Amino acid sequence: MLTVQNLTCARGGVPVLAGVSFAVNAGNALILRGPNGVGKTTLLRTLAGLQPAVVGDASYPEDEGAYASHADGIKTALTVTENLKFWAEVHGAPLPESIFETFDLADLRDRLGGTLSAGQKRRLGLARLGVIGRKVLFLDEPTVSLDGFSVKLFADWLQNTHLAAGGVAIIATHIDLGLAAPELDLTPFKAAEGAGGGSDEAFL
């Protein structure tokens, strides 16, 4: 499903990781580990096609990737239901009724996005992943602002719905999600100091 070969990626024009190679089969996840600043976010953004690789290649089915970062990506003037309907329609997918229970949003259907707490906004942002139908998810600290109960809700959806249906997830996180997934420490792939060749892309 996902194959990464000899990938070098850069942040702000400076290579941060070099020689990254791994493969993840359908139905599996990979947890990215490493200290702050090692390049986890940069790698995820490169894999998702949001910035160019310096060298190397990442391959997975076309139009099947989706990147989710710390930003919740919700529209504050729309209700919870309207937010999810918007994303479902953008991707030409139906809005599954089960998504409200899965992410503990059933009692918040008619609440405006702008009135939600930080944890509620995060659950709504993650619920988008359940309506867009993408098979390969690149997740950057997906459980920020979530309490233990909500972390388990998300991990259960990831394991029992997304991965169980043959999806893939590459996850940068510092917490234990309870997933039966291998870990990849990015520290050994840190690019040599002074390495050149990175493009001068904007980092958003």
Side-chain angles (χ1 to χ4, degrees):
M1 177 70 81
L2 170 66
T3 302
V4 178
Q5 296 180 316
N6 195 34
L7 193 72
T8 293
C9 50
R11 177 173 58 236
V14 178
V16 293
L17 295 172
V20 180
S21 297
F22 61 84
V24 183
N25 294 326
N28 290 276
L30 178 68
I31 308 296
L32 302 180
R33 300 292 194 191
N36 291 336
V38 75
K40 297 185 295 294
T41 294
T42 301
L43 176 59
L44 288 173
R45 287 173 51 85
T46 303
L47 295 177
L50 298 178
Q51 62 186 63
V54 179
V55 296
D57 179 65
S59 60
Y60 50 89
E62 188 175 2
D63 296 328
E64 285 292 353
Y67 171 77
S69 67
H70 304 166
D72 297 313
I74 66 174
K75 297 184 178 296
T76 59
L78 298 183
T79 66
V80 166
T81 299
E82 289 168 340
N83 266 280
L84 292 178
K85 280 184 176 179
F86 170 82
W87 286 106
E89 290 172 0
V90 165
H91 290 271
L95 176 58
E97 182 64 23
S98 61
I99 205 71
F100 294 96
E101 292 292 342
T102 298
F103 287 90
D104 194 25
L105 298 170
D107 293 336
L108 303 173
R109 291 170 178 264
D110 299 323
R111 286 273 300 274
L112 293 176
T115 69
L116 301 177
S117 70
Q120 291 168 340
K121 288 177 180 177
R122 175 93 297 219
R123 293 205 311 272
L124 176 55
L126 293 174
R128 293 178 303 156
L129 301 174
V131 304
I132 62 176
R134 296 294 178 95
K135 287 289 189 181
V136 184
L137 302 181
F138 303 105
L139 307 176
D140 191 2
E141 295 291 351
T143 57
V144 168
S145 299
L146 293 184
D147 58 21
F149 173 75
S150 298
V151 169
K152 187 176 186 307
L153 285 180
F154 172 67
D156 286 347
W157 171 81
L158 199 60
Q159 183 76 69
N160 301 323
T161 301
H162 180 70
L163 298 179
V168 160
I170 311 299
I171 312 164
T173 180
H174 291 286
I175 71 168
D176 181 8
L177 294 176
L179 300 176
E183 299 184 358
L184 177 65
D185 184 0
L186 294 180
T187 305
F189 300 102
K190 187 176 179 180
E193 196 160 335
S199 63
D200 189 21
E201 83 287 343
F203 185 77
L204 304 176

